[in-house]
Amino acid sequence: VSARIESDRLRVVLVATRNPLNIGAAARAMSNFGFLHLRVVNPYEPSFREARSAVGASQVLREAEQFHSVADAIADCTLVVGTTSVGRRELQHPVRSLDQAGPLLRKRLASSRVALLFGSEKVGLSNEDLSHCHWLLRVPTRQEHRSLNLAQAVAICLYELSRGGKMPAPGTRSGTARGKKMAASASELERIGALLLDALSASDYFPSASPGHHEEKLRRLIRRLNFSASDAEIWLGMLRKIVWRLEHGGKTAD
Amino acid sequence: VSARIESDRLRVVLVATRNPLNIGAAARAMSNFGFLHLRVVNPYEPSFREARSAVGASQVLREAEQFHSVADAIADCTLVVGTTSVGRRELQHPVRSLDQAGPLLRKRLASSRVALLFGSEKVGLSNEDLSHCHWLLRVPTRQEHRSLNLAQAVAICLYELSRGGKMPAPGTRSGTARGKKMAASASELERIGALLLDALSASDYFPSASPGHHEEKLRRLIRRLNFSASDAEIWLGMLRKIVWRLEHGGKTAD
């Protein structure tokens, strides 16, 4: 519930965006991560609200607020953070990497509104835009190719913002699937080993006649895999069939 | 330097992508984060290499490898991870959230190749595609609007992968015993699956006649175990012997 309220306090501000498809794609990412308040400053294309790229996020676009200046767009926010792809050209501002910025943004969102500014595709935020910012945020990209697609930058920032938060994971915690599975018991593994030994013996797999030794090797071999109890059941069934067939003659026995 | 080498081991695999602009945008994100090896399986639009959305990443597109099957595209990888937007429909696979997946992927990249699969825009990865995966990865999005834009999903995953920065040294901490050994490659696992299928068919294990379905189930069954490359070799040898015996009549054939 509190994560909901916090994401409700963020304002994503797109400044002088040229391609309306980028506005739509940004809206989609916002909706994906539960940040629903878009603000648009002087978009190049006034018809951005119809951008088809806003798959599933038409409401975000419809309810987007439009402004004629950055000053107006951020007036009700207590923290204004600009995004930049350049390193530290603007020494006037502290530049934080996104993973450093995340906790700071979340902390502020716990109590008041935060604006996250994204400049135009070509030139980013102007010095005038930047002058409204408390500090700058940079997604760490490769020095040789720094400039992210606008909507991808929005998506990555919002992923990071929702990341730390205990945003309600759908269903239960992921990753439980594996943990949830009961591991096979030693006796099940032992039965797999015994059947495998039978199958291999019937197939003349072992060159020499020292079954004890082979048994140990098979045991270790099987323990190195990680059988769940349910999978062990399946393997036992398969091996039983194979052994039965081996002992009663192949289908194409000659 | 070592982070460079590790990112060099990732293969981003786009399966049956419909919109070439998404391939281009994914290539751009790859270049931004320093993952330069793109593989494309049956793209809807053969002319994807000219996608204008690959701003600054034309080399990634130019050098992209094209395949006719997922099996071929992942053959040289030891870990195959599929991306999904759904919660837990596929109970056959463990589903990990991206932040849980990151360290696991980085650990494996420290020693061998990893494939990260992204399905088509409309339907994602098919069950056949999923059967090649060891586990699944989900970017945690809002339950009400789960489906991410394809290229944004790629961008977010690669951001998370490059995020850790100081990728963990190979063979540290948990699972050393497992990590120490080279994992089996997808093609080795595929051969195990094929031999097992032969053995089971010869043993009348399958009640009905739908081999494709069985193949998928076996593929998943095998991926759930953790075969090392050396153990895979042993299992292949054992299965070969068993299959040969089954096809040439059991010792005690009656």
Side-chain angles (χ1 to χ4, degrees):
Chain A
V1 175
S2 90
R4 229 347 122 71
I5 292 169
E6 286 162 26
S7 58
D8 215 50
R9 292 207 182 97
L10 187 75
R11 298 294 175 271
V12 172
V13 183
L14 302 184
V15 183
T17 311
R18 291 191 68 85
N19 187 343
L21 291 176
N22 281 335
I23 302 181
R28 176 177 180 176
M30 291 173 62
S31 176
N32 285 141
F33 291 108
F35 299 91
L36 305 178
H37 302 291
L38 173 61
R39 290 180 174 180
V40 166
V41 179
N42 298 329
Y44 190 78
E45 186 61 72
S47 65
F48 71 88
R49 286 179 206 270
E50 283 112 61
R52 284 179 307 120
S53 52
V55 180
S58 51
Q59 194 181 347
V60 172
L61 272 194
R62 201 166 48 240
E63 295 176 356
E65 299 171 278
Q66 202 167 344
F67 296 89
H68 291 293
S69 74
V70 168
D72 290 344
I74 60 155
D76 58 353
C77 298
T78 70
L79 175 63
V80 181
V81 175
T83 53
T84 178
S85 64
V86 297
R88 9 191 70 255
R89 199 177 57 195
E90 319 88 337
L91 288 172
Q92 313 89 308
H93 286 92
V95 180
R96 296 189 165 93
S97 70
L98 177 55
D99 59 318
Q100 296 171 318
L104 299 174
L105 292 170
R106 282 195 295 271
K107 185 188 275 183
R108 186 60 69 93
L109 285 168
S111 61
S112 60
R113 283 191 185 165
V114 173
L116 191 53
L117 269 63
F118 295 84
S120 84
E121 295 90 335
K122 282 275 163 62
V123 295
L125 293 167
S126 70
N127 283 335
E128 218 281 319
D129 301 334
L130 291 172
S131 70
H132 292 281
C133 298
H134 293 91
W135 44 271
L136 303 182
L137 176 166
R138 198 175 91 77
V139 179
T141 44
R142 201 161 58 108
Q143 199 149 4
E144 299 88 337
H145 190 185
R146 279 185 166 160
S147 174
L148 285 162
N149 164 271
L150 173 57
Q152 288 182 10
V154 172
I156 291 168
C157 288
L158 299 184
Y159 163 72
E160 179 66 44
L161 269 186
S162 68
R163 182 183 195 279
K166 45 282 154 199
M167 301 278 278
T172 48
R173 259 176 312 153
S174 39
T176 35
R178 192 194 223 149
K180 202 176 59 187
K181 287 207 170 189
M182 278 270 289
S185 70
S187 68
E188 284 166 322
L189 297 183
E190 200 64 11
R191 277 188 288 150
I192 289 178
L195 283 168
L196 189 57
L197 186 68
D198 288 347
L200 293 172
S201 299
S203 305
D204 299 323
Y205 177 76
F206 303 113
S208 74
S210 51
H213 182 57
H214 297 314
E215 223 175 304
E216 272 176 37
K217 282 179 80 170
L218 285 182
R219 192 176 286 127
R220 277 196 294 269
L221 189 71
I222 288 164
R223 299 305 185 281
R224 283 201 291 271
L225 303 176
N226 294 304
F227 284 95
S228 69
S230 54
D231 280 353
E233 209 53 53
I234 296 171
W235 284 90
L236 282 170
M238 297 193 307
L239 284 165
R240 256 183 234 113
K241 270 287 193 185
I242 290 172
V243 167
W244 192 94
R245 176 57 64 196
L246 284 166
E247 290 179 349
H248 292 78
K251 284 166 84 181
T252 59
D254 50 13
Chain B
V1 174
S2 91
R4 212 11 108 68
I5 293 168
E6 286 159 24
S7 58
D8 215 49
R9 293 205 183 98
L10 186 76
R11 298 294 174 272
V12 173
V13 184
L14 303 183
V15 183
T17 310
R18 291 192 69 85
N19 188 344
L21 291 175
N22 281 335
I23 301 181
R28 175 176 180 176
M30 291 172 63
S31 176
N32 286 142
F33 292 107
F35 298 91
L36 304 177
H37 302 290
L38 173 61
R39 291 179 174 181
V40 166
V41 179
N42 298 328
Y44 191 77
E45 187 61 72
S47 66
F48 70 89
R49 287 179 206 269
E50 283 114 60
R52 284 180 306 120
S53 51
V55 180
S58 51
Q59 193 180 348
V60 172
L61 271 194
R62 200 164 50 238
E63 295 176 356
E65 299 170 278
Q66 201 166 344
F67 296 88
H68 290 295
S69 74
V70 168
D72 291 342
I74 58 151
D76 58 353
C77 298
T78 70
L79 175 62
V80 181
V81 175
T83 53
T84 177
S85 63
V86 298
R88 16 190 63 256
R89 198 176 56 196
E90 320 88 337
L91 287 172
Q92 310 91 306
H93 285 92
V95 181
R96 296 191 164 90
S97 69
L98 177 54
D99 59 316
Q100 295 172 319
L104 299 173
L105 293 170
R106 283 193 295 270
K107 186 187 275 183
R108 186 58 69 95
L109 285 169
S111 63
S112 60
R113 283 194 183 159
V114 173
L116 191 53
L117 269 64
F118 296 84
S120 84
E121 295 90 333
K122 281 275 161 61
V123 296
L125 294 166
S126 71
N127 283 334
E128 218 280 322
D129 302 334
L130 290 172
S131 71
H132 290 279
C133 297
H134 294 90
W135 44 271
L136 304 181
L137 176 166
R138 198 177 93 76
V139 178
T141 45
R142 200 162 58 109
Q143 199 150 4
E144 298 89 338
H145 188 186
R146 279 184 168 163
S147 173
L148 285 162
N149 164 270
L150 173 58
Q152 288 181 10
V154 172
I156 291 169
C157 288
L158 298 184
Y159 162 72
E160 179 68 43
L161 267 187
S162 67
R163 183 181 192 280
K166 52 273 137 223
M167 311 236 197
T172 47
R173 286 225 312 279
S174 65
T176 17
R178 194 198 287 175
K180 201 171 57 188
K181 294 208 166 186
M182 271 278 286
S185 69
S187 65
E188 284 165 324
L189 297 183
E190 196 68 7
R191 277 187 289 151
I192 290 177
L195 283 167
L196 187 57
L197 186 68
D198 287 348
L200 294 171
S201 299
S203 306
D204 299 322
Y205 176 76
F206 303 114
S208 72
S210 49
H213 182 59
H214 297 313
E215 222 174 306
E216 276 176 32
K217 284 179 79 170
L218 285 182
R219 194 177 282 132
R220 278 194 290 267
L221 189 72
I222 289 166
R223 298 309 185 275
R224 284 200 291 269
L225 303 176
N226 294 298
F227 285 96
S228 69
S230 53
D231 281 353
E233 210 53 53
I234 296 172
W235 283 91
L236 282 170
M238 297 192 305
L239 285 166
R240 258 184 233 114
K241 270 288 193 184
I242 291 172
V243 168
W244 192 93
R245 174 59 62 197
L246 284 167
E247 290 179 350
H248 292 78
K251 282 167 84 177
T252 59
D254 51 10

